[in-house]
Amino acid sequence: MRWPVITAEGTSIRDAVARIDRSEGKGIVVVDEQRRPVSTVTSDRLRRELYDGATPETPISSVVDAPPERLANGDASLDLDVAAGGIETGMATADSRADAVETVLVVGGAGYVGSVLCRILLEEGFAVRVLDPLMYGDAGVAALADHDRFTLHQGDARSLETVLDAIEGVDAVVHLGGIVGDPATELDPRKTLEYNLHSTRLLASVCEYHQLNRFVFASTCSVYGKSATGAGRLAEDDALNPVSLYARMKIQSERLLRDLAGEQFSPTILRMATVYGCSPRMRFDLVGNILPAKAHEQGVIPVFGGDQYRPNVHVEDAARAYVDCLTAPLEDVAGEVFNVGSNGQNYRIDELATVVADAFPDAEIEYHEEQTDERSYRVEFEKIRSALEFEPERTIRDHCLELREAFENDGFSAHTATRFSNYATLESAPSFEETDAVIDEHEPPAFDDRDERTPTPDARSDGQQSTGMH
């Protein structure tokens, strides 16, 4: 891996960090007009200058690390080969991934997907920092407290001071934070705006200013909303048709990230299929989890409507998608949008119920004519498979059998408890009492009036109303 070379000592911190990130390296070499090495500087040093008050336009000539002669003679990690026409630089390690990203900030890391992602990152050798308000408790990360590469910052991304403290020294950010699920986001629209849109703007703006190039954002396939009957699988560039506040906030967040994108800030957007599976911060308000729970507990698998399509993905596969984005060459993921899931796990709700019934043979499917959730969409996942070789390894049947064994061994005996539901947890929190608040009229409208359709939240645990990850 090569350290990039720049010839102008007046190059800004902004441009230097962008060059370093694009090269997957950790530093840059400054040379004069005759291509002779003048100085070197690491990305850590450049970012430290930003934290200490320098502006992104500050020339790097004022931020110099060790002279190149000392590095060439005494630093085994950097090899300088000065030739007759210029300079060649190279790193002595083959593990370019570790040099590119070492410390990851996971915003919302104590949540449903986040707690699984943190464990995979630690297993892969990354240092992990979590920023989370712990509104659902600390069960997702409590077991990680003593890990020497894990740090928890309790707080949320609505606070500039909190965000600045959390991002210091990290190489990449995974943003899973926010209020998740259609019913949960409808409880208090003003707080949803704060947590799901304004905090994303703040976090992304701070990362862009401090040259944190890798930024992976959790969006949702719910942005496709209600597709036309008989429509094919929806790809990343197909039209969006949200039917919930949750999905509209995700689309607004995607737009602001694209507006901020540039050479020094390269967000990647992952539109997640409906997630299922066991997690340290377990949820039983997701269709892939609640239907097996009802099959075991009540001997009934309720289906409301049934012809709605949903793509599905196991929580461990979902977490792996974020790791794949962090370890891929930056040019392969910078500015990209990926649907995360697999074509084979696009199911109608009634088909999903059949899979559950196969794993719980004593349960019966109970059909209800009323449809409590308007969303229906099949999704195409070829792009992430081709670009990142991402292939989900787990299936809903695997999960149902795993969950059945857990239930039979008295695991999740209190699965109806408030803590397993985003909606129920927030509904019982004093700070989330329902208000008459509306979306800030100063926010630019995301869609035409025909798209501003928001279903009334249904607190009933039918497993088909909620979506999301955290």
Side-chain angles (χ1 to χ4, degrees):
M1 176 177 56
R2 298 192 177 280
W3 281 34
V5 174
I6 56 176
T7 56
E9 293 187 47
T11 299
S12 68
I13 291 177
R14 179 192 301 274
D15 291 341
V17 172
R19 290 284 303 278
I20 293 169
D21 285 345
R22 295 285 172 178
S23 71
E24 304 289 332
K26 295 295 286 187
I28 199 161
V29 178
V30 183
V31 298
D32 61 18
E33 293 180 356
Q34 285 74 45
R35 304 287 292 173
R36 292 174 302 191
V38 175
S39 60
T40 60
V41 62
T42 64
S43 59
D44 288 343
R45 176 68 184 278
L46 292 172
R47 291 188 171 111
R48 169 59 60 187
E49 290 294 317
L50 293 172
Y51 287 119
D52 289 344
T55 69
E57 302 309 322
T58 300
I60 66 168
S61 57
S62 63
V63 188
V64 217
D65 282 339
E69 292 82 8
R70 183 172 70 81
L71 284 171
N73 295 327
D75 189 339
S77 67
L78 180 64
D79 173 43
L80 300 180
D81 179 17
V82 183
I87 179 172
E88 292 286 336
T89 63
M91 292 296 291
T93 174
D95 189 359
S96 60
R97 186 218 68 194
D99 287 313
V101 178
E102 296 175 353
T103 302
V104 181
L105 172 64
V106 183
V107 180
Y112 179 61
V113 170
S115 57
V116 175
L117 173 60
C118 287
R119 286 161 170 79
I120 294 177
L121 288 171
L122 291 170
E123 290 171 2
E124 293 287 328
F126 294 92
V128 176
R129 187 177 303 168
V130 164
L131 174 61
D132 198 296
L134 302 183
M135 64 175 69
Y136 305 111
D138 67 350
V141 293
L144 303 178
D146 295 331
H147 198 291
D148 60 358
R149 283 185 281 108
F150 177 84
T151 309
L152 171 65
H153 288 240
Q154 184 173 355
D156 63 67
R158 296 178 299 167
S159 163
L160 175 59
E161 182 179 0
T162 299
V163 169
L164 286 171
D165 186 41
I167 71 166
E168 184 172 358
V170 306
D171 304 304
V173 174
V174 175
H175 183 19
L176 302 170
I179 300 170
V180 177
D182 294 355
T185 54
E186 298 285 354
L187 277 169
D188 190 330
R190 188 175 300 280
K191 281 192 169 58
T192 295
L193 184 69
E194 292 176 11
Y195 277 98
N196 291 27
L197 182 60
H198 290 172
S199 63
T200 299
R201 178 182 288 114
L202 173 61
L203 180 64
S205 297
V206 170
C207 289
E208 189 271 341
Y209 185 89
H210 288 87
Q211 313 293 282
L212 279 170
N213 214 330
R214 285 189 186 260
F215 186 99
V216 188
F217 176 68
S219 189
T220 171
C221 286
S222 286
V223 298
Y224 299 114
K226 187 176 182 180
S227 62
T229 302
R233 294 192 295 264
L234 298 164
E236 289 81 356
D237 56 355
D238 281 318
L240 309 179
N241 185 29
V243 295
S244 69
L245 175 62
Y246 176 62
R248 294 205 306 275
M249 290 297 95
K250 286 296 187 182
I251 294 174
Q252 290 278 30
S253 294
E254 288 188 17
R255 288 180 174 178
L256 72 87
L257 291 174
R258 285 194 292 269
D259 288 343
L260 284 171
E263 284 197 1
Q264 66 280 350
F265 182 66
S266 304
T268 305
I269 295 167
L270 298 186
R271 292 177 180 163
M272 311 301 296
T274 301
V275 187
Y276 64 88
C278 293
S279 162
R281 192 260 138 166
M282 189 58 178
R283 288 179 59 187
F284 281 105
D285 56 354
L286 296 161
V287 62
N289 293 345
I290 189 60
L291 292 186
K294 287 183 176 291
H296 172 78
E297 184 74 18
Q298 302 173 11
V300 172
I301 306 168
V303 173
F304 293 86
D307 60 351
Q308 314 99 299
Y309 271 98
R310 289 289 187 286
N312 300 271
V313 65
H314 193 278
V315 64
E316 292 182 8
D317 290 321
R320 282 198 303 107
Y322 292 95
V323 178
D324 287 351
C325 286
L326 294 173
T327 58
L330 187 59
E331 60 267 23
D332 290 349
V333 296
E336 296 292 343
V337 178
F338 296 105
N339 294 331
V340 178
S342 61
N343 291 346
Q345 294 194 64
N346 279 298
Y347 288 111
R348 292 197 315 267
I349 297 297
D350 56 1
E351 292 174 335
L352 183 61
T354 301
V355 175
V356 176
D358 185 55
F360 292 85
D362 294 334
E364 296 182 357
I365 301 175
E366 184 177 87
Y367 294 95
H368 301 263
E369 291 185 5
E370 63 267 32
Q371 186 168 301
T372 62
D373 192 339
E374 293 185 59
R375 293 169 302 142
S376 181
Y377 45 91
R378 284 183 290 177
V379 178
E380 174 61 60
F381 298 99
E382 175 60 25
K383 181 179 178 181
I384 193 170
R385 190 191 70 81
S386 297
L388 302 181
E389 298 183 353
F390 175 80
E391 291 279 5
E393 299 174 356
R394 305 290 297 278
T395 69
I396 288 179
R397 176 175 170 78
D398 295 335
H399 164 61
C400 287
L401 294 174
E402 179 184 26
L403 204 53
R404 186 181 74 181
E405 182 178 358
F407 284 138
E408 290 173 348
N409 291 321
D410 294 325
F412 303 119
S413 58
H415 71 271
T416 58
T418 297
R419 68 180 182 275
F420 292 122
S421 164
N422 285 1
Y423 179 92
T425 299
L426 298 183
E427 184 186 35
S428 64
S431 61
F432 273 86
E433 293 175 355
E434 189 170 0
T435 71
D436 293 327
V438 295
I439 296 303
D440 189 343
E441 63 270 20
H442 299 297
E443 282 295 327
F447 305 97
D448 296 334
D449 289 342
R450 66 178 179 274
D451 290 316
E452 294 294 333
R453 296 168 296 175
T454 302
T456 301
D458 187 345
R460 179 175 51 196
S461 256
D462 57 23
Q464 296 170 44
Q465 188 62 247
S466 185
T467 187
M469 299 151 285
H470 313 108

